[in-house]
Amino acid sequence: METTRVRLRFLSHPSICGIILPNNLFQKLQLRHRQKITIMLGKKEVVATALQDKRNPESNIVKMTTLLQNELSIPHGGLINLKQEGNSLRIGPAIGIVTTGIRRDPKQPIGPRTSFFHKLLQAQEGKGVFYFIFSPHDVDWRNNQVSAWFLRKSKKGGYLWRKMMTAMPDVIYDRIPSRSAEKHEAVQEFKYKLASYPDTPMFNQGFFNKWGVHQLLYPNPEVNEHIPETYTSPSLVTVRNLLRKYPIVYLKPKNGSLGYGIVKVVKNNGGGYDVSYHNGSGNVKRHFGKLSSLYQHVFRSRRVGSYLAQQGIPLMTFHGRPFDFRVHLHKNQQNEWVVSCTAAKVAGSGSVTTHVRTGGTVIPGDELLHHLFGKQKALMTQRISEASIRLATAIELAKGIDLGELGLDMGIDTHGHVWMFEANSKPGRSIFKHARLKQADQESRKLLVDYSCYLANF
């Protein structure tokens, strides 16, 4: 049976574990009055009695007795999906977002990240899903249930956070916030147990390592034209050889984010080398006559083993400043990669990177492309989108894990060629703060729900 969207209501009855369905659904499901049927929510299942609602034959309202509600840990009624699989009737899907830093505070249950999750959960509107947030500590493995935070509409029209017990979800979205949180014993134990748990996919697990992604993609003839030449643990000889081939070389931390620790090395035509980086208080630029002196300066306080050396790309500029793109991609309900947003990030004055943190500014990608390319805008947009989708497909295939979203840092060089500098499995959403990217923000959040429905087989 195809997924059917219904309105779920509860009927107070302390002794009957029953589900009451209108005639049209009874026929569709080929049920008999008082037939026993297994009802499933997430990883919980209960045998219930199917009863026929003869008063409202064409209704889309399904009623469950409170006994069945409690047995299945159904958190709330309202719009929900039904799907028949064999002799079972599934309701849901139940989509859980796992994270850390959850508190007991009903106003700020996820601390300073509460507004981030508030926006994510708002995407459930009209989707007919159970959508919630939980931490590894909240799981009751023995009873297949979890203590979770739900975002519910209040009678006054706003939203309230409510903590409720519910079934272990059909699918899990990994939003563990950092590499350090990933190493916590509770997180490691949760992921270990989940690996042997039946049919519970978790997407976007873990964090990417820049060198790991490079090793996956550089040998791949489908996408390697977009990958800059890169080396791990670069020696002085490696940096010198790269500077013989390219006028700019970047030194990047393997596990860095937000542009922290990136160093730009430029070979001067008049001799010597310039080095630029951001040091917390501002942008720093220094000149060295010898590359060996520059190398010693850079790695005086940085571990060579935790760095990469990468071919510098001569990026196109906007008002004299280099720019790149954050391309946000999602899987849709058909399990296909789509671009939900392309935002241009223009470097700040004297900055090594285009990050907002170091003075960069965000502009909707189509506006910048229109400014630079005019009638050729559609062609360049297509070029970036096609490259991004091929790269996302290659990453997912090589990683062998479920990925529902990716943030790719892309650039266009002065010859119009498209490059990828970085792939993020936990992309931030700061680009969506731009006033003209609000619609893209909504689309992005809805696609997370759509892909979850696909993985949950709804």
Side-chain angles (χ1 to χ4, degrees), residues 315-324 345-351 354 358-361 368 372:
L315 291 172
M316 290 193 77
T317 58
F318 177 69
H319 296 319
R321 294 182 184 181
F323 66 88
D324 61 15
K345 299 181 295 175
V346 184
S349 179
S351 175
T354 60
T358 55
T361 50
L368 185 138
L372 290 176

Side-chain angles (χ1 to χ4, degrees), residues 167-182:
M168 190 71 174
D170 292 294
V171 61
I172 297 170
Y173 172 33
D174 181 350
R175 280 308 305 203
I176 301 296
S178 64
R179 293 172 201 275
S180 58
E182 184 80 25

Side-chain angles (χ1 to χ4, degrees), residues 144-163:
N144 290 337
Q145 61 189 22
V146 58
S147 177
W149 284 100
F150 288 80
L151 188 69
R152 304 298 299 150
K153 276 196 169 173
S154 71
K155 289 175 182 176
K156 293 178 182 176
Y159 288 93
L160 293 170
W161 285 101
R162 290 191 61 199
K163 190 155 199 186

Side-chain angles (χ1 to χ4, degrees), residues 222-355:
E222 293 282 313
V223 294
N224 63 4
E225 65 176 292
H226 304 294
I227 311 299
E229 190 175 343
T230 307
Y231 298 93
T232 185
S233 308
S235 65
L236 174 60
V237 173
T238 302
V239 177
R240 181 171 280 124
N241 287 341
L242 276 172
L243 283 163
R244 282 179 181 147
K245 292 167 80 172
Y246 313 109
I248 303 168
V249 168
Y250 282 95
L251 303 169
K252 299 179 172 184
K254 288 178 187 174
N255 292 326
S257 61
L258 300 173
Y260 286 106
I262 293 178
V263 177
K264 180 182 179 183
V265 182
V266 180
K267 186 178 182 180
N268 281 339
N269 292 332
Y273 305 87
D274 288 330
V275 63
S276 313
Y277 52 87
H278 189 83
N279 73 350
S281 57
N283 296 318
V284 176
K285 187 172 182 179
R286 288 191 58 176
H287 180 79
F288 291 86
K290 291 183 176 179
L291 186 62
S292 55
S293 303
L294 181 151
Y295 185 88
Q296 283 177 343
H297 172 77
V298 168
F299 290 110
R300 185 180 55 195
S301 57
R302 297 172 177 89
R303 277 183 54 243
V304 175
S306 63
Y307 264 73
L308 303 172
Q310 188 173 85
Q311 163 193 355
I313 305 299
L315 291 172
M316 290 193 77
T317 58
F318 177 69
H319 296 319
R321 294 182 184 181
F323 66 88
D324 61 15
F325 295 95
R326 164 54 64 91
V327 182
H328 212 107
L329 296 107
H330 284 276
K331 280 282 194 74
N332 61 18
Q333 204 158 345
Q334 288 71 48
N335 195 33
E336 301 161 333
W337 284 108
V338 292
V339 174
S340 65
C341 181
T342 303
K345 299 181 295 175
V346 184
S349 179
S351 175
V352 178
T353 72
T354 60
H355 292 85

Side-chain angles (χ1 to χ4, degrees), residues 15-19 26 31-39 46-51 87-89:
S15 58
I16 293 180
C17 192
I19 180 167
F26 239 79
L31 295 173
R32 298 182 315 277
H33 187 58
R34 293 197 165 274
Q35 180 182 331
K36 297 294 183 187
I37 183 169
T38 302
I39 311 294
V46 173
V47 175
T49 303
L51 301 166
N87 296 322
S88 300
L89 187 60

Side-chain angles (χ1 to χ4, degrees), residues 9 12 15 23 130 135 143 224 229 272 305 358 417 420 453:
R9 291 182 185 168
S12 184
S15 58
N23 267 359
F130 296 112
S135 81
N143 294 308
N224 63 4
E229 190 175 343
T358 55
H417 187 73
M420 187 197 89
C453 290

Side-chain angles (χ1 to χ4, degrees), residues 100-103 105 107-118:
T100 58
I102 292 181
R103 308 169 177 182
D105 178 1
K107 289 187 177 174
Q108 294 265 298
I110 314 103
R113 293 181 297 132
T114 298
S115 62
F116 172 88
F117 288 103
H118 189 289

